Amino acid sequence: MSPVEAQPPLHLSYFDRLLQLDRHGAIKLVERFLLDREGDVAALYAEVLVPALVHTGQQWQEDRISVAHEHYISEVTRDLILRHGPRLWASPEAVHSTAVACCAPNERHVLGLLMAADILRAAGLDVHLLGEGAPPESVGDFVAEVDADVLALSVSLPEHVDDASALIEGARARRPSLLVVAGGRGLAELPDPAARVGADYVTNDLRDLHRELPRLLKRPSPGSSRRDRPPQPS
Ligand code: B12
C-alpha cells in the first residue's frame, strides 16, 4: 500500500497561496471548500479564514512575513468575506429587528465585525454596518436615529476596552432598550467581559451568537420596542 501523503490543514494552504500572491488559487481553494461543505460559510469562517488570519498574525509577529504581506492577506480575505458572506443571509429568517454594527473607537480590525454582521443578518436582523472609525458620539446619534434594537461591537485590542465601554454607555443613554452584543479578541481574556464592557452578551464564537440571538432578542427590557411587538409568524 502506498503511503498516503498528509495534506496540510486547509487554512495553511490558503495562507501559503496568498504568501505566493496566488489570489486566484486562494479563491479557488475557498470555492472548493464551499462546494465540499454544501455552502457552509460559517464553517469557511471558522475553519479556514479565521485560523489563516491568526496564523498570519503569528508569522508577522515573528518577522517571517512583511507588513505588506499581512495587509495583502487581510485584504484578499476581506474580499472573500464580502463575496461569500451574503450566502449566509440569502434567505434570512423574517427581518424583525435593526442592528448597528461598528468597531470600538480607534479599532482598525474590522474583519471579525464583518463576519458577525453576516450572522446577525442570517438571523433576520437588518444590519447597518458602520465599520471602523466612526466617532462614538455619531454612533450614539445613529443608534437613536435608526431606532436600533441591537448594537454589535467589535474590540480586538485590549487597550480599546475602556473606549468600547464608554461608547456602549453613550449609546444606551440615547436608546435605553438597546441590546448590546460584543466580541473580539480584546475581550477574550477578561474574567467577566460583558460586565466589564457593559454589554448584554459577549462571545467570540459566531455559532454561539446565532444560537443565542433568539433568546437575547426576546429579553424584556424597559422601554423596549421588542417587548410590545406582537409575536412574529414562525
Ligand atoms: C489583519 C490584521 C491587522 C490589519 C487589520 C485589517 C482589517 N481591515 O481588519 C491591520 C494591518 C490594520 C492591523 C493593524 C494592527 N494590528 Co493587527 N492583526 C491583524 C491579524 C493578522 C488578523 C486580524 C483578523 O482579522 N483576525 C480574524 C478575525 C475574524 O478575528 P477576530 O477579530 O478575533 O474576530 C473573531 C472573534 O473575535 C469574533 N468577533 C469579532 N468581532 C466581533 C463582534 C461581535 C459583535 C461578535 C459577537 C463577535 C466578534 O468573531 C470573529 C470570528 O471568530 C491579527 C492576528 C489575529 N490573531 O487575529 C493581528 C493582530 C490582532 N494585530 C495586532 C497588532 C499589534 C496590530 C497593530 C497595533 C500593529 C501596529 N503596530 O500598527 C495595529 C493596530 C491597529 C488598530 N488601531 O486597531 C496584534 C494584537 C496583539 C494584542 N495586543 O492583542 C495581532 C494579534 C497580531 C499578533 N501579534 O499576532 N492588524
PDB file of all heavy atoms in Angstrom, residues 53-54 57 60-61 70-71 74 78 106-112 115-116 153-154 156-157 181 183-185 203-204 206, ligand 1:
ATOM      1  N   LEU A  53      -5.956  33.902   9.364  1.00  0.00           N
ATOM      2  CA  LEU A  53      -5.606  35.257   9.826  1.00  0.00           C
ATOM      3  C   LEU A  53      -4.802  35.208  11.126  1.00  0.00           C
ATOM      4  O   LEU A  53      -3.859  35.980  11.312  1.00  0.00           O
ATOM      5  CB  LEU A  53      -6.881  36.096  10.003  1.00  0.00           C
ATOM      6  CG  LEU A  53      -7.529  36.539   8.685  1.00  0.00           C
ATOM      7  CD1 LEU A  53      -8.973  36.970   8.910  1.00  0.00           C
ATOM      8  CD2 LEU A  53      -6.732  37.663   8.023  1.00  0.00           C
ATOM      9  N   VAL A  54      -5.172  34.287  12.001  1.00  0.00           N
ATOM     10  CA  VAL A  54      -4.418  34.142  13.253  1.00  0.00           C
ATOM     11  C   VAL A  54      -2.980  33.721  12.922  1.00  0.00           C
ATOM     12  O   VAL A  54      -2.009  34.273  13.460  1.00  0.00           O
ATOM     13  CB  VAL A  54      -5.101  33.109  14.192  1.00  0.00           C
ATOM     14  CG1 VAL A  54      -4.213  32.781  15.382  1.00  0.00           C
ATOM     15  CG2 VAL A  54      -6.456  33.650  14.664  1.00  0.00           C
ATOM     16  N   GLY A  57      -1.039  36.602  11.675  1.00  0.00           N
ATOM     17  CA  GLY A  57      -0.589  37.458  12.780  1.00  0.00           C
ATOM     18  C   GLY A  57       0.660  36.901  13.452  1.00  0.00           C
ATOM     19  O   GLY A  57       1.610  37.642  13.753  1.00  0.00           O
ATOM     20  N   TRP A  60       3.648  37.362  11.190  1.00  0.00           N
ATOM     21  CA  TRP A  60       4.048  38.782  11.179  1.00  0.00           C
ATOM     22  C   TRP A  60       4.799  39.114  12.482  1.00  0.00           C
ATOM     23  O   TRP A  60       5.857  39.739  12.455  1.00  0.00           O
ATOM     24  CB  TRP A  60       2.801  39.660  11.015  1.00  0.00           C
ATOM     25  CG  TRP A  60       3.047  41.096  11.331  1.00  0.00           C
ATOM     26  CD1 TRP A  60       3.713  42.005  10.554  1.00  0.00           C
ATOM     27  CD2 TRP A  60       2.653  41.791  12.523  1.00  0.00           C
ATOM     28  NE1 TRP A  60       3.753  43.221  11.188  1.00  0.00           N
ATOM     29  CE2 TRP A  60       3.114  43.125  12.397  1.00  0.00           C
ATOM     30  CE3 TRP A  60       1.946  41.434  13.669  1.00  0.00           C
ATOM     31  CZ2 TRP A  60       2.898  44.081  13.378  1.00  0.00           C
ATOM     32  CZ3 TRP A  60       1.729  42.387  14.642  1.00  0.00           C
ATOM     33  CH2 TRP A  60       2.212  43.686  14.494  1.00  0.00           C
ATOM     34  N   GLN A  61       4.244  38.628  13.592  1.00  0.00           N
ATOM     35  CA  GLN A  61       4.860  38.909  14.897  1.00  0.00           C
ATOM     36  C   GLN A  61       6.270  38.329  14.972  1.00  0.00           C
ATOM     37  O   GLN A  61       7.173  38.923  15.566  1.00  0.00           O
ATOM     38  CB  GLN A  61       3.990  38.302  15.997  1.00  0.00           C
ATOM     39  CG  GLN A  61       4.299  38.836  17.370  1.00  0.00           C
ATOM     40  CD  GLN A  61       3.334  38.274  18.420  1.00  0.00           C
ATOM     41  OE1 GLN A  61       2.740  37.209  18.229  1.00  0.00           O
ATOM     42  NE2 GLN A  61       3.177  38.975  19.508  1.00  0.00           N
ATOM     43  N   GLU A  70       1.024  40.949   5.211  1.00  0.00           N
ATOM     44  CA  GLU A  70      -0.076  40.825   6.160  1.00  0.00           C
ATOM     45  C   GLU A  70      -1.290  41.622   5.658  1.00  0.00           C
ATOM     46  O   GLU A  70      -2.427  41.139   5.677  1.00  0.00           O
ATOM     47  CB  GLU A  70       0.384  41.335   7.536  1.00  0.00           C
ATOM     48  CG  GLU A  70      -0.638  41.093   8.626  1.00  0.00           C
ATOM     49  CD  GLU A  70      -0.684  42.210   9.658  1.00  0.00           C
ATOM     50  OE1 GLU A  70      -0.132  43.293   9.409  1.00  0.00           O
ATOM     51  OE2 GLU A  70      -1.304  41.987  10.712  1.00  0.00           O
ATOM     52  N   HIS A  71      -1.042  42.845   5.183  1.00  0.00           N
ATOM     53  CA  HIS A  71      -2.137  43.661   4.648  1.00  0.00           C
ATOM     54  C   HIS A  71      -2.782  42.975   3.445  1.00  0.00           C
ATOM     55  O   HIS A  71      -4.000  42.935   3.319  1.00  0.00           O
ATOM     56  CB  HIS A  71      -1.613  45.040   4.220  1.00  0.00           C
ATOM     57  CG  HIS A  71      -1.451  46.001   5.358  1.00  0.00           C
ATOM     58  ND1 HIS A  71      -2.137  47.197   5.420  1.00  0.00           N
ATOM     59  CD2 HIS A  71      -0.698  45.954   6.464  1.00  0.00           C
ATOM     60  CE1 HIS A  71      -1.792  47.846   6.523  1.00  0.00           C
ATOM     61  NE2 HIS A  71      -0.917  47.100   7.176  1.00  0.00           N
ATOM     62  N   SER A  74      -4.971  40.097   4.494  1.00  0.00           N
ATOM     63  CA  SER A  74      -6.228  40.506   5.129  1.00  0.00           C
ATOM     64  C   SER A  74      -7.165  41.172   4.116  1.00  0.00           C
ATOM     65  O   SER A  74      -8.372  41.010   4.200  1.00  0.00           O
ATOM     66  CB  SER A  74      -5.986  41.378   6.367  1.00  0.00           C
ATOM     67  OG  SER A  74      -5.541  42.650   6.020  1.00  0.00           O
ATOM     68  N   ARG A  78     -10.829  39.952   3.218  1.00  0.00           N
ATOM     69  CA  ARG A  78     -11.998  40.838   3.297  1.00  0.00           C
ATOM     70  C   ARG A  78     -12.858  40.676   2.024  1.00  0.00           C
ATOM     71  O   ARG A  78     -14.081  40.566   2.107  1.00  0.00           O
ATOM     72  CB  ARG A  78     -11.550  42.297   3.435  1.00  0.00           C
ATOM     73  CG  ARG A  78     -12.730  43.263   3.592  1.00  0.00           C
ATOM     74  CD  ARG A  78     -12.412  44.627   3.023  1.00  0.00           C
ATOM     75  NE  ARG A  78     -11.483  45.391   3.820  1.00  0.00           N
ATOM     76  CZ  ARG A  78     -11.844  46.386   4.622  1.00  0.00           C
ATOM     77  NH1 ARG A  78     -13.107  46.712   4.732  1.00  0.00           N
ATOM     78  NH2 ARG A  78     -10.939  47.048   5.294  1.00  0.00           N
ATOM     79  N   ASN A 106     -11.031  53.773  17.654  1.00  0.00           N
ATOM     80  CA  ASN A 106      -9.608  53.554  17.321  1.00  0.00           C
ATOM     81  C   ASN A 106      -9.263  52.130  16.890  1.00  0.00           C
ATOM     82  O   ASN A 106      -8.107  51.821  16.627  1.00  0.00           O
ATOM     83  CB  ASN A 106      -8.689  53.956  18.481  1.00  0.00           C
ATOM     84  CG  ASN A 106      -8.902  55.394  18.874  1.00  0.00           C
ATOM     85  OD1 ASN A 106      -8.958  56.255  18.003  1.00  0.00           O
ATOM     86  ND2 ASN A 106      -9.062  55.661  20.165  1.00  0.00           N
ATOM     87  N   GLU A 107     -10.266  51.290  16.849  1.00  0.00           N
ATOM     88  CA  GLU A 107     -10.029  49.894  16.464  1.00  0.00           C
ATOM     89  C   GLU A 107     -10.051  49.779  14.951  1.00  0.00           C
ATOM     90  O   GLU A 107     -11.032  50.193  14.328  1.00  0.00           O
ATOM     91  CB  GLU A 107     -11.152  49.027  17.068  1.00  0.00           C
ATOM     92  CG  GLU A 107     -11.034  47.552  16.791  1.00  0.00           C
ATOM     93  CD  GLU A 107      -9.795  46.981  17.454  1.00  0.00           C
ATOM     94  OE1 GLU A 107      -9.777  46.900  18.677  1.00  0.00           O
ATOM     95  OE2 GLU A 107      -8.842  46.630  16.714  1.00  0.00           O
ATOM     96  N   ARG A 108      -9.001  49.221  14.357  1.00  0.00           N
ATOM     97  CA  ARG A 108      -8.976  49.087  12.897  1.00  0.00           C
ATOM     98  C   ARG A 108      -9.235  47.662  12.429  1.00  0.00           C
ATOM     99  O   ARG A 108      -9.360  47.414  11.232  1.00  0.00           O
ATOM    100  CB  ARG A 108      -7.629  49.590  12.354  1.00  0.00           C
ATOM    101  CG  ARG A 108      -7.493  51.102  12.465  1.00  0.00           C
ATOM    102  CD  ARG A 108      -6.144  51.552  11.954  1.00  0.00           C
ATOM    103  NE  ARG A 108      -5.906  51.095  10.584  1.00  0.00           N
ATOM    104  CZ  ARG A 108      -4.690  50.895  10.075  1.00  0.00           C
ATOM    105  NH1 ARG A 108      -3.618  51.105  10.796  1.00  0.00           N
ATOM    106  NH2 ARG A 108      -4.552  50.484   8.826  1.00  0.00           N
ATOM    107  N   HIS A 109      -9.259  46.722  13.355  1.00  0.00           N
ATOM    108  CA  HIS A 109      -9.527  45.331  12.965  1.00  0.00           C
ATOM    109  C   HIS A 109     -11.033  45.176  12.742  1.00  0.00           C
ATOM    110  O   HIS A 109     -11.799  45.228  13.704  1.00  0.00           O
ATOM    111  CB  HIS A 109      -9.044  44.370  14.062  1.00  0.00           C
ATOM    112  CG  HIS A 109      -7.574  44.466  14.312  1.00  0.00           C
ATOM    113  ND1 HIS A 109      -7.059  45.263  15.315  1.00  0.00           N
ATOM    114  CD2 HIS A 109      -6.527  43.881  13.689  1.00  0.00           C
ATOM    115  CE1 HIS A 109      -5.731  45.155  15.297  1.00  0.00           C
ATOM    116  NE2 HIS A 109      -5.380  44.324  14.322  1.00  0.00           N
ATOM    117  N   VAL A 110     -11.406  44.951  11.496  1.00  0.00           N
ATOM    118  CA  VAL A 110     -12.838  45.006  11.170  1.00  0.00           C
ATOM    119  C   VAL A 110     -13.380  43.673  10.638  1.00  0.00           C
ATOM    120  O   VAL A 110     -14.580  43.491  10.516  1.00  0.00           O
ATOM    121  CB  VAL A 110     -13.078  46.161  10.149  1.00  0.00           C
ATOM    122  CG1 VAL A 110     -12.620  45.768   8.755  1.00  0.00           C
ATOM    123  CG2 VAL A 110     -14.514  46.615  10.130  1.00  0.00           C
ATOM    124  N   LEU A 111     -12.481  42.719  10.344  1.00  0.00           N
ATOM    125  CA  LEU A 111     -12.948  41.507   9.653  1.00  0.00           C
ATOM    126  C   LEU A 111     -13.883  40.662  10.530  1.00  0.00           C
ATOM    127  O   LEU A 111     -14.862  40.099  10.041  1.00  0.00           O
ATOM    128  CB  LEU A 111     -11.762  40.668   9.160  1.00  0.00           C
ATOM    129  CG  LEU A 111     -10.773  41.411   8.240  1.00  0.00           C
ATOM    130  CD1 LEU A 111      -9.686  40.464   7.748  1.00  0.00           C
ATOM    131  CD2 LEU A 111     -11.480  42.050   7.067  1.00  0.00           C
ATOM    132  N   GLY A 112     -13.581  40.602  11.828  1.00  0.00           N
ATOM    133  CA  GLY A 112     -14.461  39.863  12.746  1.00  0.00           C
ATOM    134  C   GLY A 112     -15.848  40.487  12.781  1.00  0.00           C
ATOM    135  O   GLY A 112     -16.864  39.784  12.822  1.00  0.00           O
ATOM    136  N   MET A 115     -17.848  39.446   9.784  1.00  0.00           N
ATOM    137  CA  MET A 115     -18.369  38.082   9.944  1.00  0.00           C
ATOM    138  C   MET A 115     -19.577  38.083  10.889  1.00  0.00           C
ATOM    139  O   MET A 115     -20.597  37.441  10.621  1.00  0.00           O
ATOM    140  CB  MET A 115     -17.284  37.159  10.490  1.00  0.00           C
ATOM    141  CG  MET A 115     -16.130  36.943   9.538  1.00  0.00           C
ATOM    142  SD  MET A 115     -14.872  35.864  10.276  1.00  0.00           S
ATOM    143  CE  MET A 115     -13.577  35.964   9.033  1.00  0.00           C
ATOM    144  N   ALA A 116     -19.449  38.823  11.997  1.00  0.00           N
ATOM    145  CA  ALA A 116     -20.563  38.877  12.967  1.00  0.00           C
ATOM    146  C   ALA A 116     -21.800  39.501  12.309  1.00  0.00           C
ATOM    147  O   ALA A 116     -22.932  39.046  12.543  1.00  0.00           O
ATOM    148  CB  ALA A 116     -20.146  39.667  14.206  1.00  0.00           C
ATOM    149  N   LEU A 153     -20.694  45.249  18.634  1.00  0.00           N
ATOM    150  CA  LEU A 153     -19.430  45.978  18.772  1.00  0.00           C
ATOM    151  C   LEU A 153     -18.255  45.009  18.758  1.00  0.00           C
ATOM    152  O   LEU A 153     -18.290  43.958  19.400  1.00  0.00           O
ATOM    153  CB  LEU A 153     -19.470  46.722  20.108  1.00  0.00           C
ATOM    154  CG  LEU A 153     -18.387  47.760  20.352  1.00  0.00           C
ATOM    155  CD1 LEU A 153     -18.571  48.955  19.418  1.00  0.00           C
ATOM    156  CD2 LEU A 153     -18.428  48.231  21.791  1.00  0.00           C
ATOM    157  N   SER A 154     -17.196  45.390  18.051  1.00  0.00           N
ATOM    158  CA  SER A 154     -16.011  44.543  17.980  1.00  0.00           C
ATOM    159  C   SER A 154     -14.814  45.240  18.633  1.00  0.00           C
ATOM    160  O   SER A 154     -14.540  46.410  18.343  1.00  0.00           O
ATOM    161  CB  SER A 154     -15.692  44.232  16.507  1.00  0.00           C
ATOM    162  OG  SER A 154     -14.633  43.316  16.421  1.00  0.00           O
ATOM    163  N   SER A 156     -10.863  44.414  19.257  1.00  0.00           N
ATOM    164  CA  SER A 156      -9.742  43.481  19.049  1.00  0.00           C
ATOM    165  C   SER A 156      -8.589  43.711  20.013  1.00  0.00           C
ATOM    166  O   SER A 156      -7.926  42.779  20.436  1.00  0.00           O
ATOM    167  CB  SER A 156      -9.198  43.608  17.625  1.00  0.00           C
ATOM    168  OG  SER A 156      -9.883  42.757  16.772  1.00  0.00           O
ATOM    169  N   LEU A 157      -8.315  44.974  20.305  1.00  0.00           N
ATOM    170  CA  LEU A 157      -7.149  45.258  21.141  1.00  0.00           C
ATOM    171  C   LEU A 157      -7.579  45.595  22.572  1.00  0.00           C
ATOM    172  O   LEU A 157      -8.513  46.385  22.773  1.00  0.00           O
ATOM    173  CB  LEU A 157      -6.350  46.430  20.554  1.00  0.00           C
ATOM    174  CG  LEU A 157      -5.776  46.221  19.145  1.00  0.00           C
ATOM    175  CD1 LEU A 157      -4.913  47.408  18.731  1.00  0.00           C
ATOM    176  CD2 LEU A 157      -4.979  44.929  19.048  1.00  0.00           C
ATOM    177  N   VAL A 181     -24.443  43.403  21.928  1.00  0.00           N
ATOM    178  CA  VAL A 181     -23.637  42.182  21.811  1.00  0.00           C
ATOM    179  C   VAL A 181     -22.239  42.599  21.360  1.00  0.00           C
ATOM    180  O   VAL A 181     -22.092  43.502  20.537  1.00  0.00           O
ATOM    181  CB  VAL A 181     -24.244  41.151  20.826  1.00  0.00           C
ATOM    182  CG1 VAL A 181     -25.587  40.652  21.302  1.00  0.00           C
ATOM    183  CG2 VAL A 181     -24.369  41.703  19.418  1.00  0.00           C
ATOM    184  N   GLY A 183     -17.887  41.327  20.803  1.00  0.00           N
ATOM    185  CA  GLY A 183     -16.919  40.244  20.634  1.00  0.00           C
ATOM    186  C   GLY A 183     -15.585  40.825  20.205  1.00  0.00           C
ATOM    187  O   GLY A 183     -15.433  42.038  20.099  1.00  0.00           O
ATOM    188  N   GLY A 184     -14.642  39.930  19.978  1.00  0.00           N
ATOM    189  CA  GLY A 184     -13.303  40.361  19.582  1.00  0.00           C
ATOM    190  C   GLY A 184     -12.294  39.888  20.595  1.00  0.00           C
ATOM    191  O   GLY A 184     -12.593  39.741  21.784  1.00  0.00           O
ATOM    192  N   ARG A 185     -11.054  39.693  20.104  1.00  0.00           N
ATOM    193  CA  ARG A 185     -10.033  39.095  20.968  1.00  0.00           C
ATOM    194  C   ARG A 185      -9.679  39.993  22.148  1.00  0.00           C
ATOM    195  O   ARG A 185      -9.177  39.511  23.160  1.00  0.00           O
ATOM    196  CB  ARG A 185      -8.801  38.698  20.168  1.00  0.00           C
ATOM    197  CG  ARG A 185      -8.324  39.730  19.174  1.00  0.00           C
ATOM    198  CD  ARG A 185      -7.055  39.319  18.477  1.00  0.00           C
ATOM    199  NE  ARG A 185      -5.987  39.171  19.441  1.00  0.00           N
ATOM    200  CZ  ARG A 185      -5.239  38.090  19.574  1.00  0.00           C
ATOM    201  NH1 ARG A 185      -5.441  37.068  18.812  1.00  0.00           N
ATOM    202  NH2 ARG A 185      -4.283  38.045  20.470  1.00  0.00           N
ATOM    203  N   THR A 203     -19.408  37.156  23.011  1.00  0.00           N
ATOM    204  CA  THR A 203     -18.902  35.855  22.560  1.00  0.00           C
ATOM    205  C   THR A 203     -17.921  36.064  21.418  1.00  0.00           C
ATOM    206  O   THR A 203     -18.011  37.053  20.696  1.00  0.00           O
ATOM    207  CB  THR A 203     -20.037  34.921  22.089  1.00  0.00           C
ATOM    208  OG1 THR A 203     -19.470  33.643  21.752  1.00  0.00           O
ATOM    209  CG2 THR A 203     -20.769  35.463  20.870  1.00  0.00           C
ATOM    210  N   ASN A 204     -17.004  35.130  21.258  1.00  0.00           N
ATOM    211  CA  ASN A 204     -16.144  35.133  20.086  1.00  0.00           C
ATOM    212  C   ASN A 204     -16.489  33.974  19.172  1.00  0.00           C
ATOM    213  O   ASN A 204     -15.818  33.751  18.169  1.00  0.00           O
ATOM    214  CB  ASN A 204     -14.666  35.065  20.491  1.00  0.00           C
ATOM    215  CG  ASN A 204     -14.173  36.431  20.915  1.00  0.00           C
ATOM    216  OD1 ASN A 204     -14.772  37.447  20.571  1.00  0.00           O
ATOM    217  ND2 ASN A 204     -13.098  36.471  21.665  1.00  0.00           N
ATOM    218  N   LEU A 206     -19.104  32.614  16.683  1.00  0.00           N
ATOM    219  CA  LEU A 206     -20.243  33.126  15.916  1.00  0.00           C
ATOM    220  C   LEU A 206     -21.400  32.132  15.866  1.00  0.00           C
ATOM    221  O   LEU A 206     -22.549  32.523  15.689  1.00  0.00           O
ATOM    222  CB  LEU A 206     -19.786  33.516  14.511  1.00  0.00           C
ATOM    223  CG  LEU A 206     -18.754  34.651  14.479  1.00  0.00           C
ATOM    224  CD1 LEU A 206     -18.362  34.994  13.047  1.00  0.00           C
ATOM    225  CD2 LEU A 206     -19.257  35.905  15.198  1.00  0.00           C
TER     226      LEU A 206
HETATM  227  C1  B12 B   1      -5.224  41.769   9.728  1.00  0.00           C
HETATM  228  C2  B12 B   1      -4.644  42.351  10.986  1.00  0.00           C
HETATM  229  C3  B12 B   1      -4.459  43.730  11.039  1.00  0.00           C
HETATM  230  C4  B12 B   1      -4.964  44.653   9.952  1.00  0.00           C
HETATM  231  C5  B12 B   1      -6.495  44.801  10.094  1.00  0.00           C
HETATM  232  C6  B12 B   1      -7.144  44.985   8.733  1.00  0.00           C
HETATM  233  C7  B12 B   1      -8.637  44.958   8.813  1.00  0.00           C
HETATM  234  N1  B12 B   1      -9.221  45.518   7.786  1.00  0.00           N
HETATM  235  O1  B12 B   1      -9.265  44.446   9.719  1.00  0.00           O
HETATM  236  C8  B12 B   1      -4.174  45.958  10.261  1.00  0.00           C
HETATM  237  C9  B12 B   1      -2.944  45.986   9.376  1.00  0.00           C
HETATM  238  C10 B12 B   1      -4.946  47.261  10.100  1.00  0.00           C
HETATM  239  C11 B12 B   1      -3.726  45.715  11.693  1.00  0.00           C
HETATM  240  C12 B12 B   1      -3.251  46.718  12.496  1.00  0.00           C
HETATM  241  C13 B12 B   1      -2.743  46.497  13.757  1.00  0.00           C
HETATM  242  N2  B12 B   1      -2.560  45.314  14.373  1.00  0.00           N
HETATM  243 CO1  B12 B   1      -3.316  43.659  13.708  1.00  0.00          CO
HETATM  244  N3  B12 B   1      -3.751  41.954  13.156  1.00  0.00           N
HETATM  245  C14 B12 B   1      -4.304  41.517  12.085  1.00  0.00           C
HETATM  246  C15 B12 B   1      -4.452  39.987  12.163  1.00  0.00           C
HETATM  247  C16 B12 B   1      -3.342  39.345  11.349  1.00  0.00           C
HETATM  248  C17 B12 B   1      -5.787  39.445  11.725  1.00  0.00           C
HETATM  249  C18 B12 B   1      -6.986  40.131  12.395  1.00  0.00           C
HETATM  250  C19 B12 B   1      -8.235  39.430  11.988  1.00  0.00           C
HETATM  251  O2  B12 B   1      -8.929  39.856  11.084  1.00  0.00           O
HETATM  252  N4  B12 B   1      -8.471  38.252  12.607  1.00  0.00           N
HETATM  253  C20 B12 B   1      -9.579  37.408  12.233  1.00  0.00           C
HETATM  254  C21 B12 B   1     -10.836  37.911  12.878  1.00  0.00           C
HETATM  255  C22 B12 B   1     -12.028  37.232  12.244  1.00  0.00           C
HETATM  256  O3  B12 B   1     -10.735  37.579  14.237  1.00  0.00           O
HETATM  257  P1  B12 B   1     -11.408  38.445  15.370  1.00  0.00           P
HETATM  258  O4  B12 B   1     -11.374  39.891  15.028  1.00  0.00           O
HETATM  259  O5  B12 B   1     -10.859  37.996  16.653  1.00  0.00           O
HETATM  260  O6  B12 B   1     -12.949  38.037  15.248  1.00  0.00           O
HETATM  261  C23 B12 B   1     -13.451  36.801  15.706  1.00  0.00           C
HETATM  262  C24 B12 B   1     -13.958  36.871  17.129  1.00  0.00           C
HETATM  263  O7  B12 B   1     -13.163  37.672  17.940  1.00  0.00           O
HETATM  264  C25 B12 B   1     -15.375  37.319  16.997  1.00  0.00           C
HETATM  265  N5  B12 B   1     -15.726  38.723  16.904  1.00  0.00           N
HETATM  266  C26 B12 B   1     -15.009  39.779  16.461  1.00  0.00           C
HETATM  267  N6  B12 B   1     -15.757  40.887  16.472  1.00  0.00           N
HETATM  268  C27 B12 B   1     -16.974  40.546  16.937  1.00  0.00           C
HETATM  269  C28 B12 B   1     -18.117  41.322  17.159  1.00  0.00           C
HETATM  270  C29 B12 B   1     -19.256  40.699  17.678  1.00  0.00           C
HETATM  271  C30 B12 B   1     -20.478  41.521  17.897  1.00  0.00           C
HETATM  272  C31 B12 B   1     -19.233  39.313  17.985  1.00  0.00           C
HETATM  273  C32 B12 B   1     -20.420  38.678  18.575  1.00  0.00           C
HETATM  274  C33 B12 B   1     -18.090  38.542  17.747  1.00  0.00           C
HETATM  275  C34 B12 B   1     -16.971  39.169  17.223  1.00  0.00           C
HETATM  276  O8  B12 B   1     -15.796  36.721  15.809  1.00  0.00           O
HETATM  277  C35 B12 B   1     -14.703  36.521  14.911  1.00  0.00           C
HETATM  278  C36 B12 B   1     -14.787  35.118  14.393  1.00  0.00           C
HETATM  279  O9  B12 B   1     -14.480  34.180  15.365  1.00  0.00           O
HETATM  280  C37 B12 B   1      -4.300  39.762  13.704  1.00  0.00           C
HETATM  281  C38 B12 B   1      -3.893  38.347  14.106  1.00  0.00           C
HETATM  282  C39 B12 B   1      -5.010  37.661  14.889  1.00  0.00           C
HETATM  283  N7  B12 B   1      -4.661  36.783  15.789  1.00  0.00           N
HETATM  284  O10 B12 B   1      -6.178  37.915  14.723  1.00  0.00           O
HETATM  285  C40 B12 B   1      -3.360  40.911  14.077  1.00  0.00           C
HETATM  286  C41 B12 B   1      -3.360  41.434  15.494  1.00  0.00           C
HETATM  287  C42 B12 B   1      -4.767  41.493  16.055  1.00  0.00           C
HETATM  288  N8  B12 B   1      -2.836  42.787  15.319  1.00  0.00           N
HETATM  289  C43 B12 B   1      -2.036  43.147  16.259  1.00  0.00           C
HETATM  290  C44 B12 B   1      -1.406  44.419  16.354  1.00  0.00           C
HETATM  291  C45 B12 B   1      -0.360  44.589  17.446  1.00  0.00           C
HETATM  292  C46 B12 B   1      -1.738  45.459  15.464  1.00  0.00           C
HETATM  293  C47 B12 B   1      -1.200  46.882  15.483  1.00  0.00           C
HETATM  294  C48 B12 B   1      -1.056  47.515  16.876  1.00  0.00           C
HETATM  295  C49 B12 B   1       0.136  46.844  14.722  1.00  0.00           C
HETATM  296  C50 B12 B   1       0.844  48.167  14.657  1.00  0.00           C
HETATM  297  N9  B12 B   1       1.958  48.238  15.374  1.00  0.00           N
HETATM  298  O11 B12 B   1       0.400  49.076  13.979  1.00  0.00           O
HETATM  299  C51 B12 B   1      -2.227  47.634  14.615  1.00  0.00           C
HETATM  300  C52 B12 B   1      -3.391  48.196  15.468  1.00  0.00           C
HETATM  301  C53 B12 B   1      -4.395  48.935  14.636  1.00  0.00           C
HETATM  302  C54 B12 B   1      -5.605  49.358  15.433  1.00  0.00           C
HETATM  303  N10 B12 B   1      -5.570  50.560  15.980  1.00  0.00           N
HETATM  304  O12 B12 B   1      -6.560  48.636  15.570  1.00  0.00           O
HETATM  305  C55 B12 B   1      -1.837  42.050  17.296  1.00  0.00           C
HETATM  306  C56 B12 B   1      -2.607  42.361  18.591  1.00  0.00           C
HETATM  307  C57 B12 B   1      -1.854  41.941  19.825  1.00  0.00           C
HETATM  308  C58 B12 B   1      -2.679  42.299  21.047  1.00  0.00           C
HETATM  309  N11 B12 B   1      -2.292  43.310  21.731  1.00  0.00           N
HETATM  310  O13 B12 B   1      -3.649  41.664  21.319  1.00  0.00           O
HETATM  311  C59 B12 B   1      -2.317  40.795  16.493  1.00  0.00           C
HETATM  312  C60 B12 B   1      -2.933  39.692  17.363  1.00  0.00           C
HETATM  313  C61 B12 B   1      -1.102  40.279  15.705  1.00  0.00           C
HETATM  314  C62 B12 B   1      -0.219  39.390  16.533  1.00  0.00           C
HETATM  315  N12 B12 B   1       0.601  39.905  17.353  1.00  0.00           N
HETATM  316  O14 B12 B   1      -0.311  38.210  16.393  1.00  0.00           O
HETATM  317  N13 B12 B   1      -3.838  44.413  12.030  1.00  0.00           N
END
